[in-house]
Amino acid sequence: MASFRIRQYQEQDFEAVRALFARGILEHAPAAFRHVLRAARVRLALLAVFVAARAAAGSWLLGLGAVALALALLWVLVRSLSAEYVREALGTDLCDVPGTYQRPPDRRFWVAEEGGTVVGMVAAMPAGRGELELKRMSVSREHRGRGMARALCREVLAFARARGYGAVVLSTSMVQVAAQRLYEGQGFRRVGTSYPSLLGTLLNFQIFHYRCDLGDGEK
């Protein structure tokens, strides 16, 4: 039996929700970095840095140092993708959860609570064309693997059906493999990809878009 409960957001959840979301996004930066390093263009660029530095300085050691510096810069760039996404969220909808998700119609924000602590979250808002968007899904690392994310996802799907929506849509990054498996297990299918920014395009960091059809909705 689940030891957590899902309830609607309350004002006292503000700091916990923001911290949970930020941790959940930033923890994927290492996986994104590894993904970028596997790209052929990045490996060729690092090789070019090594060859150029060694040729200019006549030293293997300085060549390796140049590669290390390039890797450090690359890490900063990759992490900035996640950091910018967090800053954007904290400065917009997660800065005013009641105004964004509770007062307007057909919007909700739920948290999963265990032992009086917020350890999971998810939100929903209209996306147009009879679709509801699942947003801000996050579960703390220590509480994963217990069905919490699945329960939060089902909360959104049930809400969408009750409101007459024909589909639920969402977006997640290419490195969030566990999230992709969760959504696919709940009936979502991938319907497209995009890049979050010019930097994301250069680093080949993609956003996957998913859709779960609910039948003929009334919206």
Side-chain angles (χ1 to χ4, degrees):
M1 183 176 179
S3 59
F4 60 87
R5 71 183 183 104
I6 296 176
R7 59 170 174 79
Q8 290 193 41
Y9 172 92
Q10 299 173 2
E11 288 287 355
Q12 63 265 29
D13 301 326
F14 180 73
E15 292 298 340
V17 158
R18 287 164 62 87
L20 176 62
F21 177 77
R23 287 196 308 270
I25 295 299
L26 293 176
E27 72 180 20
H28 294 292
F33 184 60
R34 291 191 296 270
H35 165 76
V36 169
L37 289 180
R38 287 194 292 268
R41 73 178 75 171
V42 172
R43 294 186 178 186
L44 286 173
L46 291 173
L47 178 60
V49 167
F50 173 77
V51 171
R54 182 178 179 278
S59 168
W60 284 81
L61 186 59
L62 289 178
L64 292 173
V67 171
L69 184 61
L71 286 171
L73 176 60
L74 185 61
W75 164 250
V76 171
L77 290 175
V78 170
R79 195 177 188 280
S80 72
L81 286 172
S82 298
E84 180 57 34
Y85 180 62
V86 169
R87 280 193 295 269
E88 186 272 336
L90 296 184
T92 53
D93 57 304
L94 293 184
C95 185
D96 182 15
V97 173
T100 304
Y101 294 109
Q102 292 184 305
R103 286 192 287 271
D106 283 359
R107 302 184 182 208
R108 286 291 187 278
F109 197 107
W110 298 269
V111 299
E113 182 183 63
E114 183 174 76
T117 301
V118 172
V119 294
M121 57 186 276
V122 73
M125 66 189 306
R129 306 181 306 280
E131 299 172 347
L132 188 75
E133 184 178 8
L134 183 155
K135 296 173 64 70
R136 309 309 185 207
M137 169 77 84
S138 187
V139 173
S140 68
R141 181 189 295 270
E142 299 80 8
H143 293 81
R144 293 173 192 165
R146 297 164 50 191
M148 191 176 295
R150 183 168 58 253
L152 288 165
C153 184
R154 288 176 176 172
E155 198 77 31
V156 175
L157 293 173
F159 179 78
R161 290 190 180 95
R163 295 300 188 280
Y165 283 92
V168 175
V169 297
L170 62 88
S171 300
T172 190
S173 75
M174 64 188 306
V175 298
Q176 292 176 268
V177 178
Q180 294 165 32
R181 290 172 179 163
L182 165 71
Y183 298 135
E184 290 166 3
Q186 296 303 304
F188 286 84
R189 57 187 176 86
R190 194 193 305 178
V191 294
T193 60
S194 65
Y195 294 95
S197 63
L198 176 59
L199 177 59
T201 302
L202 294 174
L203 297 176
N204 194 32
F205 184 83
Q206 294 180 316
I207 300 299
F208 292 166
H209 304 287
Y210 281 84
R211 175 187 176 94
C212 179
D213 290 307
L214 303 177
D216 296 329
E218 300 172 359
K219 297 290 185 179

